[in-house]
Amino acid sequence: MAEGEAAAPATTRRLVLRGARDALALPAWVVGFALVGVGSLAQDVGHPLGAAMLSTLLIWAGPAQVVFYGSLAAGVALPLIAAAICLSSIRFLPMTIALMPLLRRPGQGLLAQIAIAHYIAVTVWVESLRRLPRMPAEERLPYYLGFANACLVTTTALTGVGWFLSGTLPAPLASGLLFITPVYFTLALAAGARTAVDVVAIVLGFALAPAFGHLVGRDFDLLLTGLVGGTIAYLVGRARRRRGA
């Protein structure tokens, strides 16, 4: 390109493909291999292959799918299973609130926003917060959809692989695969930390999560950790801004 010549604007197709390429470079495989164990669990409780893969498409949350299949195996009533899945996925609410302002566009209807929010999972969320703010506003949504769909399709396929591997996958390995996502999530958050407030929030998360897990149990520990730790980090950031003003 000649010097001084403006770069051609990225087309929607190129943005979608770029998002998919970036996801397939690593993040999609991280979340995908984490759900191999879910496919194996679905086979163990007698769910067919299609149902196992559909659970990933519709629930799109490894811990909630473990709750789902574990409850089925225990014979829990379906309304109670639905309530348990909702409680286990309440952590996505603050993630959605944080990410949607970057993706919302004039003219988007409620159904479109619900569809966009469905793709929000831990890996998609942390990578989107890291990548989208640096992009022009009009490029964010196509890139996000390419990235998120690549993650979802890859994870759905690997859920199917896990279904076929049921009985041959050692239980410790199947359980260990579920920890890939939180480890990646932690490393990505640390890599994306740019300010002292980011560091404070990460440190508070590690400090408060075990305490709240002991005090209130595993249903609300992450919610309270985010609420209390996030509020403290926000107040620290506001105090620093006032001193710098």
Side-chain angles (χ1 to χ4, degrees), residues 17 24 32 43 62-63 72 74 106 110 126 145 183 185 188 194 214 224 235 240:
L17 291 177
L24 292 172
Q43 167 74 292
L72 284 180
L110 178 61
V126 70
L145 291 176
V183 170
F185 174 72
R194 295 291 182 266
H214 177 72
L224 284 176
L235 293 175
R240 287 174 60 88

Side-chain angles (χ1 to χ4, degrees), residues 18 41 63 77 83 125 215 238:
R18 193 173 88 196
L41 184 60
W125 177 76
L215 292 173
R238 189 171 71 172

Side-chain angles (χ1 to χ4, degrees), residues 73-171:
V76 178
L78 289 179
L80 293 179
I81 294 177
I85 289 174
C86 288
L87 286 175
S88 72
S89 299
I90 199 170
R91 69 191 187 279
F92 290 124
L93 178 59
M95 293 183 184
T96 303
I97 292 173
L99 188 56
M100 285 304 292
L102 294 173
L103 299 169
R104 193 177 293 116
R105 293 291 170 267
Q108 275 182 357
L110 178 61
L111 291 179
Q113 293 184 46
I114 291 174
I116 293 169
H118 173 68
Y119 289 105
I120 296 176
V122 169
T123 302
V124 174
W125 177 76
V126 70
E127 289 294 341
S128 295
L129 282 185
R130 197 161 63 91
R131 299 166 186 264
L132 295 184
R134 300 195 298 264
M135 299 176 62
E138 66 277 5
E139 295 184 0
R140 293 171 184 166
L141 183 56
Y143 178 90
Y144 165 84
L145 291 176
F147 188 98
N149 273 296
C151 288
L152 183 56
V153 170
T154 301
T155 303
T156 300
L158 287 174
T159 301
V161 171
W163 190 91
F164 282 109
L165 290 177
S166 178
T168 63
L169 197 65

